[in-house]
Structures are given as structure tokens and as C-alpha cells.
Amino acid sequence: MSRSIVLGNGRMLLNFDDNYWIRDVYFPHLGIENHTEGHASRFGIAVDGRTHWVDARWRLDIRYDGSSLVSRVVARNEAIGIELVIRDAVDREVDAFCREVTVHDLSGHDRRVRVFHHQDFYISGTDVGDTALYDPDLTSIVQYKRNRYFMIGGGRAPDYQFDAFATGKKGFAGAEGTWVDAEGDGELSGNAITQGSVDSTIAVDVLVPAGGSAKVYYWIGAGERYGELLKVNSRIRRHGPGALIDRTAAYWRVWARADDTEFHGLPQELVDLYRTSLLVMRAHVDHEGAIIAALDSDITHFARDTYTYMWPRDGALTVDAFDRAGYPAVARKFFKFTTGLLKREGYFLHKYNPDRSLASSWHPFLNEYGEKILPIQEDETGLVVWALWRHYKLQGDLEDVHQYYRTFVVRAAEFMSEYRDQATGLPLPSWDLWEERRGVLSFTCAAVWAGLDAAAKFAHAFGDAARHMRFQRAAEEVRSAMREHLWDEETGRFLRMLIPANARLGREEARDSTPDMSLFGLHFLGAFDRSEPRLVSTLDSLEEALRVHTPIGGMARYSGDYYHAVTDDLAMVPGNPWFIGQSWLSRWKMSGAATVAELDAALDPLRWMAAHATSAGLLPEQIHPFTGEPLAVTPLTWSHASFVAAVHDYLDRRLHMRSALNAGFS
């Protein structure tokens, strides 16, 4: 089940599923500890003697409340004559999730409604050794283990006291959980403490006048010590959870700068998705600077692992989008976080946790011949140097960037200069950006060129003449080698990948000409100019080669993509439609637009992205080619970042056309 809303503040983040039940709770880092392990915490009401969980039997409209990381959800159940309007937020200053539920009567009769909130925590990722208790000092439920504390409260204003509660066992010795009590007669046991595999439920009663409404509040506060709960509890009760939601909405609307961007005729649905994308991207930035790829835990069922890591590649492309959108503070934190991870030899490893520890990997240290190899994706090293240069050019952070020159830029560039085949000048084999195959990838070569070119520019800017010449020469050698060795005359395209011959091992050269959307990187990384005939031939062919021939449409990642594949009919579906490919296609079309009409036509791939986003504007990694339902993770930070980058290509190109037109009249 995909995620429908993401709310967070950099330390605490919650994900919700399509029933609008809480499914993921991360704290105090994004991605390291999921305190639910993807298990659902139920939400519902009891009215007229029956309990109704909010689920598919309700008509749900799940959206963000304007340009803010605050939700506005309408849940309507005509059969019972109740509508719920829910606003949720994770406060910017306090590690607290706050909810406001407005209960509307649709029946025309006075109603007594009991609102249930169920908590299914697996603190620090396991249900072993948890405790759930009622704390009379906090007048809240507290669930804790070691140094992770969660406080659950709620009620009506102004006293904010819930009317019933229960703690109990779950998933053990036949116990299903306290939600079963709520589902039965609507009464909760009042059991004050339970340890082991536990859950809890609270209930708040309201009288709703005929045709009228009443408000109920709920919150989850988080802390690493019990004393922090005391402070969070005081803040919530002093200000009121509704006020915390209001101030959070106000903060994010200012942050999103909804009224001061000139969009130059960009269609409104793309403007809306642009603003949502920035907010979703920001929600995935940990407070120490790591940019997390995705926090949707459902992917765990595919390989018993997640996307809850920081890939230097995804992060570099995301901070470049942040920089272009005018958010350099995010980029500064990312570079501070990332540059310190560079190995002494000058490269990044596969991926990292937001506490700077090394994350899980599937890149081996030995190849199929038993030889020692570097388990790296070299594109990650090149892209961070590339993004740092672009940050410097946009923001002019001389003093800030200079601190990374010798410790990061030079070391990375020296590695990229040396880690090359002396016979061809190409980078030595590494893993591709899809992390599936090892060889000399065109995308990786473009990223290495971009990194070396950026390093040469840094060296020139800082008066390091010798290194400027050396890095510039290495960059040109890589680009020349790409023209010579990666071009495939037979297909009229650059190869996806080359595996060099190895006489000692008796291995002949292997040339992989599979159409792959990663080839768009040759363009947006600047390895070749738009006028390069070979680039035009390559990229113009990709749209048709990768087109998904179903009513859903879109583009496959590459021909024969097996990841989450749903059909073997490659003629109809070469692979599931991916979102980043649509944005890359749009950017390519924009770069060749000669008129405003052609530029606007180049927005069609972005319109496809907007049309296949969730109701709240979340972009998955990929979607089902026949149903359009999200596959893999939702949202994927990279999908949103690629959309933002494409919008800025449009705005830059539109501004250039306007300037050229004005110059023509002057």
C-alpha cells in the first residue's frame, strides 16, 4: 500500500497509507528507526452502537492543505451520516504530531460520537521489551523502550483529556490488540500498564448537534528522555494542538514562497505539483543534512530492506534542484554531511545512514573471477563534485565552499583522474546508477566528466593552476574516449555500457546497446552540447524505444526492466513507467525548443507526471503499466527533485526566449 501523505520536521516523520492510518513513525533520525515497522495504527469512530474504522468504505479525499506540510483530509461515510475533516502536522519546533478532527453530522440528528486512535508501536523496530502505560502526571499514554519515549494524548479543548484508554498485548498468545476492544462494544478496558509486545488505544467522546460539528484533538509527542516528554506536553497543552497546526501551516507557506515566484505561464497543475514537490523533498531531509531516498517501508516486503538511506547520487541531484529553487541552506547542510563521508582514496561507497554510518549494500568486493574490485558507483563521486560547483556558481558561497576544496574536491578529482583505463582513457568499471550491472556506463562517464570539469573550474577559481590543467585534461580525455569507444554505429546511439576486453582473463569486449533512460544524463550533465549530432540521435530515439504502449503510457527505465515487472510482453511494456524518465525527456525537449509553442509542448511529459501523481501530489518511483497504481516506493525524493529541475529548465528557457525577444525590439 503506497503512502498518501508525508509529514515531518527533520527529526520526526510520519507516513500515512491509503486508509489514512499511520504506517511509519521515524524518530530522532529519518530512516534509521521506524517505530511501527510499517504496521498500521487504526483510526475510526463509534456511533449508534457500532464502530467504524476509516477505510475503503469511506470516501476519502487526502491532500495537503495548500502549500504546507499540513494535511487536509475529508473522510465521508454517507451510510452512517458522518463526515470527518482532519488536519495533521508535525510541529516545526516541537517533536510532536498534532491532529485536529472535526466531526460533522450529515443525518440531521444529534449524535454521540466516540473517536478512537490506536497506536501500534514497534519501538526501535521491534515489539520485544516495549512498555505501554497510563501516566497520570502527563494524563497521557506513554510507550517507551530504552531512550525512545512516545506520549499519546488527546481530548476536547480546553482541557484535552481523553475519556477512555486501554493498553494491552498484541500479536502474542492469541492477543490481537486493544483495537479489538474498540471494535467490539466500543468500550476500552482502562488497563493501566502492559509490557512486552504491546499496543494502546484512546477514545474521546463528543456530542455533535444535528447538522453541526464538534472538534477532537490528538497528538503523539516524542523524546529521547522522559523529561523531554514533560516539555513537549507543556508546550502542547499551553498553546493547544490546533495552534501548533496553524503555526506549522504558516511556516511552510512562507517557506514555499507561494506568492513570489514568476512561473511564466506554467500550467497551474504543474505549479501545484512543483510546490508540493519542494515540500516533500524537504520532509526527506534529516536534521543533520542527509537526504533520504524514500521512507515508505512497504518496500521491505520485496527484499527485506528499504530505501531509507542517503545515496550521494540521489542527494546531489536533489540539492541541485533545491539550489535552483532558491533553498541553499539545504544544500549547505548536505555538503557538510556528505563531503565528510569521502573515503581517503577519494570515492564514496554505495550508501549511508543519516547518522553517517555505512548502510547495507549489495556491491561485492570480488568480481566473478575472484579478483578484488572497488564496490562503488563512481557516478556518485562525480555528481557530488558537480553539484558543489553548481551550488557555488548559484550562491557564491566562497568561504563555505573553499573549506571543501582540498579535503573533498581535490581528493575526489584525483581519484577520478587516476581510476581510468590507460588504454582507452575511460573510467574503469563500476556499478551503474540502477545498481544492477557493472561496467563502463555512459551515464557514469558523463558524471565523471562533470565531476572533473567542476574540479577544474574550482582549481581555476582558487588559483591552483597545475591542478586546473590536470583536471581539465582528464575531463577532455574522458569525453574524447566516450566519443571513440561508447558510440555504436549500428544503432546510432551511445552504448548504455561497455565491458572492456581482458586478454589475461580471456574475456572479449562486450557492448550493451540497450535503450536506457540514463543516457539522458549525457545531456543534463553537460557532457555533450545540444548541437552534437550523436547526442541528438541517441536521445531522440529513446522516447519511442522506451514508450509504454498501454493507456497509462509513460516511459520505461530501460528495455527489459525486470524490477517489479508485471508482464513479459516487452513490445507493449518494455518496463514499468518511471517518473524520472519523464522529467529527463521533458528537459531534453525543452533544450531544443525554438519557440514558446514548442517549449510549452515539451511540458507534456511533466503533465503526465502530474496526472499520475497521488491525490496529494506524491510521485512514486514507478507505476503499474495497466492500472497506474504506484509500485515500489511512494513518494520517491528523486522523482520530485527531477520534476523541480525540469520546471526550472522551463523557466530558464522561457526567460531566455523573453530576453531574446526584448533584445530584438531594442
Side-chain angles (χ1 to χ4, degrees):
M1 183 177 289
S2 64
R3 300 303 181 246
S4 61
I5 284 283
V6 179
L7 303 172
N9 65 3
R11 283 176 51 85
M12 184 181 189
L13 182 140
L14 281 75
N15 280 329
F16 300 79
D17 65 17
D18 290 342
N19 289 331
Y20 206 61
W21 293 357
I22 295 170
R23 286 289 296 273
D24 303 305
V25 177
Y26 295 95
F27 174 82
H29 280 286
L30 308 187
I32 296 181
E33 298 172 60
N34 185 356
H35 300 288
T36 66
E37 281 297 282
H39 293 84
S41 294
R42 295 166 179 253
F43 162 55
I45 65 168
V47 64
D48 300 331
R50 292 189 60 189
T51 297
H52 306 269
W53 300 112
V54 173
D55 56 22
R57 290 167 289 189
W58 294 64
R59 190 166 75 245
L60 285 166
D61 182 35
I62 303 174
R63 301 181 186 276
Y64 285 103
D65 188 8
S67 298
S68 73
L69 279 175
V70 173
S71 69
R72 187 182 188 280
V73 177
V74 178
R76 190 177 181 93
N77 190 324
E78 298 283 359
I80 62 174
I82 292 290
E83 179 183 83
L84 308 175
V85 178
I86 307 129
R87 292 198 309 151
D88 288 340
V90 174
D91 190 75
R92 277 295 300 159
E93 299 176 16
V94 179
D95 292 325
F97 162 74
C98 297
R99 166 171 289 177
E100 176 188 85
V101 182
T102 304
V103 185
H104 294 277
D105 168 66
L106 306 177
S107 70
H109 304 287
D110 293 345
R111 320 288 291 278
R112 182 181 184 274
V113 178
R114 170 163 278 196
V115 180
F116 290 111
H117 283 95
H118 162 245
Q119 295 74 228
D120 194 5
F121 283 112
Y122 287 66
I123 297 176
S124 297
T126 174
D127 58 351
V128 176
D130 289 0
T131 298
L133 60 86
Y134 176 76
D135 186 322
D137 292 330
L138 297 173
T139 58
S140 303
I141 297 292
V142 173
Q143 295 192 219
Y144 74 92
K145 180 162 58 192
R146 294 189 299 275
N147 59 345
R148 300 290 182 262
Y149 290 82
F150 296 94
M151 172 187 66
I152 298 97
R156 302 168 302 278
D159 60 334
Y160 303 114
Q161 304 295 318
F162 46 72
D163 295 289
F165 70 89
T167 72
K169 296 283 189 182
K170 67 175 183 196
F172 179 76
E176 294 184 75
T178 56
W179 63 270
V180 176
D181 293 341
E183 193 172 71
D185 58 9
E187 297 300 321
L188 300 178
S189 68
N191 185 39
I193 189 167
T194 312
Q195 53 79 224
S197 180
V198 302
D199 73 343
S200 64
T201 302
I202 67 170
V204 179
D205 298 331
V206 289
L207 294 175
V208 184
S213 63
K215 291 185 187 298
V216 170
Y217 293 92
Y218 168 76
W219 63 80
I220 302 173
E224 296 181 69
R225 294 177 297 278
Y226 178 79
E228 293 178 6
L229 294 189
L230 295 174
K231 296 177 182 178
V232 172
N233 187 57
S234 175
R235 295 282 290 275
I236 293 173
R237 293 182 183 277
R238 183 169 70 251
H239 296 290
L244 297 189
I245 295 170
D246 289 341
R247 79 177 187 182
T248 301
Y251 174 89
W252 287 117
R253 288 187 183 115
V254 172
W255 185 89
R257 299 200 297 267
D259 298 320
D260 68 353
T261 301
E262 175 56 64
F263 286 104
H264 302 294
L266 191 72
Q268 188 60 46
E269 69 269 21
L270 302 188
V271 173
D272 293 342
L273 182 55
Y274 171 85
R275 288 172 174 157
T276 298
S277 291
L278 285 171
L279 290 163
V280 172
M281 289 158 58
R282 187 64 184 85
H284 285 76
V285 180
D286 184 76
H287 65 280
E288 291 191 2
I291 295 175
I292 308 303
L295 291 162
D296 175 356
S297 66
D298 269 9
I299 194 68
T300 309
H301 303 301
F302 180 76
R304 296 306 297 164
D305 206 347
T306 69
Y307 284 31
T308 59
Y309 306 112
M310 194 285 294
W311 276 263
R313 174 197 58 246
D314 296 42
L317 294 169
T318 300
V319 296
D320 186 61
F322 271 125
D323 263 330
R324 296 183 70 184
Y327 298 93
V330 178
R332 293 185 190 107
K333 292 184 71 171
F334 170 80
F335 291 125
K336 182 177 181 180
F337 177 92
T338 308
T339 54
L341 300 174
L342 194 74
K343 296 283 285 183
R344 180 185 59 190
E345 296 84 355
Y347 56 82
F348 291 114
L349 289 172
H350 187 180
K351 51 191 168 77
Y352 300 87
N353 294 304
D355 63 356
R356 294 180 170 82
S357 60
L358 188 63
S360 61
S361 180
W362 51 90
H363 294 340
F365 287 73
L366 296 176
N367 65 14
E368 64 270 31
Y369 304 103
E371 298 176 308
K372 180 181 177 180
I373 57 175
L374 283 180
I376 65 170
Q377 300 165 235
E378 196 180 0
D379 64 308
E380 299 203 282
T381 303
L383 286 172
V384 177
V385 181
W386 166 83
L388 184 63
W389 172 255
R390 287 166 64 87
H391 170 77
Y392 169 66
K393 288 296 290 181
L394 278 169
Q395 311 303 336
D397 285 351
L398 178 63
E399 292 186 22
D400 190 54
V401 170
H402 188 268
Q403 66 179 310
Y404 305 125
Y405 176 61
R406 294 189 183 278
T407 58
F408 171 68
V409 173
V410 169
R411 283 165 53 199
E414 295 283 7
F415 170 78
M416 290 186 288
S417 297
E418 296 298 322
Y419 192 67
R420 291 190 294 142
D421 187 319
Q422 296 306 305
T424 66
L426 289 169
L428 289 170
S430 69
W431 291 91
D432 71 336
L433 81 163
W434 309 133
E435 304 166 332
E436 296 174 344
R437 54 194 59 82
R438 189 172 180 274
V440 181
L441 286 300
S442 286
F443 180 90
T444 303
C445 292
V448 169
W449 174 87
L452 287 168
D453 179 67
K457 290 172 179 173
F458 271 125
H460 179 71
F462 297 145
D464 193 345
R467 287 194 175 100
H468 168 247
M469 292 179 62
R470 185 160 72 252
F471 297 156
Q472 189 176 58
R473 182 170 60 250
E476 286 306 314
E477 288 171 356
V478 169
R479 180 155 56 185
S480 296
M482 292 172 68
R483 286 194 178 100
E484 180 178 353
H485 299 286
L486 293 177
W487 173 252
D488 186 59
E489 198 67 48
E490 183 177 344
T491 60
R493 288 194 302 265
F494 279 103
L495 297 171
R496 170 169 71 175
M497 180 175 73
L498 174 71
I499 302 177
N502 189 315
R504 183 172 64 83
L505 297 173
R507 184 180 68 200
E508 296 183 356
E509 179 183 85
R511 297 169 66 83
D512 181 350
S513 60
T514 303
D516 191 311
M517 68 169 61
S518 66
L519 292 168
F520 282 116
L522 304 180
H523 164 240
F524 68 76
L525 293 175
F528 296 109
D529 188 79
R530 184 62 169 76
S531 61
E532 171 78 42
R534 291 183 175 186
L535 182 69
V536 174
S537 175
T538 299
L539 301 191
D540 278 354
S541 71
L542 289 182
E543 182 177 13
E544 181 57 36
L546 298 177
R547 178 175 293 152
V548 175
H549 297 280
T550 69
I552 296 300
M555 284 178 61
R557 183 170 56 149
Y558 58 81
S559 182
D561 187 2
Y562 65 88
Y563 185 51
H564 292 282
V566 299
T567 178
D568 294 329
D569 187 351
L570 298 184
M572 176 178 284
V573 182
N576 297 333
W578 277 56
F579 281 74
I580 57 174
Q582 291 296 115
S583 62
W584 290 351
L585 173 63
S586 181
R587 296 176 72 178
W588 171 245
K589 289 176 173 288
M590 289 174 195
S591 69
T595 66
V596 171
E598 291 177 356
L599 184 62
D600 288 343
L603 291 173
D604 285 347
L606 301 189
R607 292 188 177 94
W608 182 94
M609 295 177 76
H612 292 90
T614 70
S615 63
L618 303 187
L619 299 179
E621 176 185 75
Q622 54 182 299
I623 57 175
H624 195 292
F626 298 105
T627 68
E629 66 179 314
L631 296 174
V633 294
T634 306
L636 180 71
T637 308
W638 192 1
S639 294
H640 286 280
S642 71
F643 181 85
V644 168
V647 167
H648 280 279
D649 275 12
Y650 172 84
L651 299 179
D652 291 348
R653 189 74 174 162
R654 188 72 179 260
L655 186 61
H656 174 76
M657 287 181 175
R658 178 185 294 180
S659 299
L661 181 63
N662 291 338
F665 284 112
S666 62

